[in-house]
């Protein structure tokens, strides 16, 4: 009887250890070492956001495997910049990241007001081309340090994009992380071995050097303007209506930009007001 009880205890301890090990491998943090799952976001998800993710997650994963850009980062940026695929450029030009005609573009184009009243934007045959071209935009000297990060380090990438000039608002990294954790986009990221990471970094270095040698010198701003947006942090007793009055926009605009299905807000929640 004593032997049987001891066996049960040992089996329970082994099962607990195995469970803890699986938790570490399944939910890496930005450094790839944490065993805890990211905290649930204060915001809510939307049907359009979930549908968008389901439609384009496989493309984001393929691009991650090629270059090391976390799939979660690419999806979060696409959600933001295309308004869940509802923006004019996404609908009419398959352009989900606002890439302009600058650089070596010889394809179709469309004119829209942006930095200038008649800016030229790229038109793609399908959204997949837009996702791929976004990767090519990031494969520049300005963003080179980002590719030394682990490809499941979404927090490092979020900070790095802001530091490299991708966006002007200081809260941009928080907004990306908020979206990633709200929609659990981190589950599409995959780690890599030390050897795999080294090979990928060498590949990226060659790609960037080739682009420098073969492409005309073009500032990134001429191809894509830095993401400029007003981000509001919800304070005590604020409502969507009071916030809309503060910024002279409509409640519907705020709800659409932030994938809100109702008027519920939480203190500290980050809201995109304008792009």
């Amino acid at each position: 009887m004593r032997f049987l009880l001891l066996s049960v205890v040992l089996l329970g301890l082994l099962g607990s250890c195995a469970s803890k090990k699986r938790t570490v491998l399944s939910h890496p943090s930005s450094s790839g070492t944490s065993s805890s799952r990211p905290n649930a976001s204060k915001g809510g998800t939307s049907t359009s956001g979930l549908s968008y993710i389901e439609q384009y997650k496989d493309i984001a994963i393929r691009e991650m495997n090629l270059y090391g850009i976390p799939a979660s980062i690419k999806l979060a940026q696409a959600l933001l910049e295309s308004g869940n695929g509802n923006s004019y450029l996404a609908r009419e030009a398959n352009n989900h990241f606002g890439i302009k005609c600058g650089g070596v573009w010889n394809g179709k184009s469309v004119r829209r007001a942006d930095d200038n009243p008649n800016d030229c934007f790229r038109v793609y045959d399908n959204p997949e081309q837009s996702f791929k071209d976004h990767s090519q935009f990031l494969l520049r000297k300005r963003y080179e340090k980002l590719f030394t990060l682990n490809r499941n380090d979404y927090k490092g990438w979020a900070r790095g994009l802001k530091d490299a000039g991708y966006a002007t608002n200081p809260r941009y990294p928080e907004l990306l992380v908020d979206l990633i954790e709200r929609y659990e986009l981190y589950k599409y990221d995959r780690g890599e071995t030390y050897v795999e990471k080294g090979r990928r970094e060498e590949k990226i270095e060659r790609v960037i050097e080739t682009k420098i040698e073969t492409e005309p010198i073009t500032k990134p701003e001429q191809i894509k303007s830095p993401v400029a947006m007003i981000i509001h942090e919800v304070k005590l007793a604020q409502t969507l209506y009071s916030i809309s009055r503060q910024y002279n926009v409509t409640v519907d605009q705020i709800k659409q930009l932030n994938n809100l299905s109702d008027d519920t807000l939480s203190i500290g929640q980050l809201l995109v007001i304008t792009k």
Side-chain angles (χ1 to χ4, degrees):
M1 184 68 175
R2 185 177 298 172
F3 176 76
L4 179 61
L5 287 172
L6 181 60
S7 298
V8 171
V9 171
L10 286 173
L11 286 171
L13 288 172
L14 288 172
S16 175
C17 291
S19 175
K20 289 179 180 177
K21 185 175 182 181
R22 283 195 297 272
T23 302
V24 171
L25 294 175
S26 300
H27 305 294
S29 71
S30 63
S31 63
T33 58
S34 173
S35 62
S36 61
R37 190 182 186 89
N39 293 328
S41 168
K42 296 171 183 175
T45 60
S46 72
T47 301
S48 63
L50 293 169
S51 297
Y52 185 89
I53 292 162
E54 183 63 28
Q55 188 171 0
Y56 299 117
K57 62 181 173 60
D58 290 339
I59 302 172
I61 291 170
R62 285 199 296 272
E63 291 297 294
M64 173 185 65
N65 291 335
L66 280 172
Y67 302 113
I69 305 166
S72 61
I73 284 288
K74 188 176 283 288
L75 287 168
Q77 289 186 287
L79 283 166
L80 266 180
E81 298 194 53
S82 74
N84 297 355
N86 294 316
S87 70
Y88 174 87
L89 285 175
R91 288 185 289 104
E92 303 298 327
N94 288 316
N95 189 333
H96 290 240
F97 297 91
I99 305 292
K100 295 184 177 181
C101 297
V104 295
W105 183 253
N106 294 314
K108 298 177 185 177
S109 63
V110 64
R111 297 280 176 175
R112 295 286 289 174
D114 193 59
D115 295 325
N116 301 298
N118 200 31
D119 277 335
C120 180
F121 289 89
R122 302 180 182 188
V123 173
Y124 303 100
D125 292 334
N126 52 65
E128 183 172 0
Q129 289 183 353
S130 180
F131 275 70
K132 289 180 176 179
D133 204 26
H134 174 254
S135 298
Q136 293 303 313
F137 171 77
L138 292 178
L139 288 164
R140 284 179 163 75
K141 198 72 176 176
R142 172 181 290 190
Y143 302 105
E144 187 175 25
K145 288 183 180 179
L146 287 167
F147 292 92
T148 64
L149 297 171
N150 292 328
R151 67 182 188 184
N152 58 353
D153 185 3
Y154 65 86
K155 291 182 179 178
W157 266 83
R159 291 190 299 269
L161 283 166
K162 169 64 182 65
D163 293 342
Y166 190 94
T168 60
N169 194 296
R171 307 300 295 276
Y172 184 72
E174 293 176 58
L175 194 67
L176 288 182
V177 171
D178 176 78
L179 277 171
I180 289 168
E181 296 183 354
R182 183 192 313 176
Y183 285 97
E184 298 184 349
L185 300 178
Y186 49 76
K187 66 187 178 185
Y188 303 120
D189 296 338
R190 299 289 183 271
E192 55 194 339
T193 67
Y194 180 79
V195 173
E196 289 171 335
K197 185 172 183 290
R199 288 174 181 167
R200 176 178 57 77
E201 288 177 2
E202 290 178 4
K203 172 187 173 181
I204 298 302
E205 187 176 352
R206 289 195 300 270
V207 170
I208 292 175
E209 290 303 317
T210 300
K211 288 168 75 75
I212 291 173
E213 293 173 4
T214 59
E215 293 187 2
I217 298 173
T218 308
K219 292 183 178 180
E221 292 85 354
Q222 293 175 297
I223 305 174
K224 176 173 172 54
S225 301
V227 177
M229 55 179 59
I230 296 173
I231 301 173
H232 177 86
E233 184 173 353
V234 178
K235 305 296 192 299
L236 180 66
Q238 284 190 322
T239 64
L240 279 177
Y241 179 72
S242 66
I243 296 169
S244 71
R245 292 291 300 272
Q246 179 179 341
Y247 293 100
N248 196 29
V249 297
T250 67
V251 169
D252 285 342
Q253 283 176 307
I254 297 176
K255 291 176 75 171
Q256 182 177 357
L257 282 171
N258 295 276
N259 313 318
L260 300 178
S261 57
D262 56 41
D263 294 351
T264 305
L265 297 176
S266 302
I267 296 174
Q269 182 176 347
L270 298 178
L271 296 174
V272 180
I273 305 299
T274 61
K275 292 186 182 182

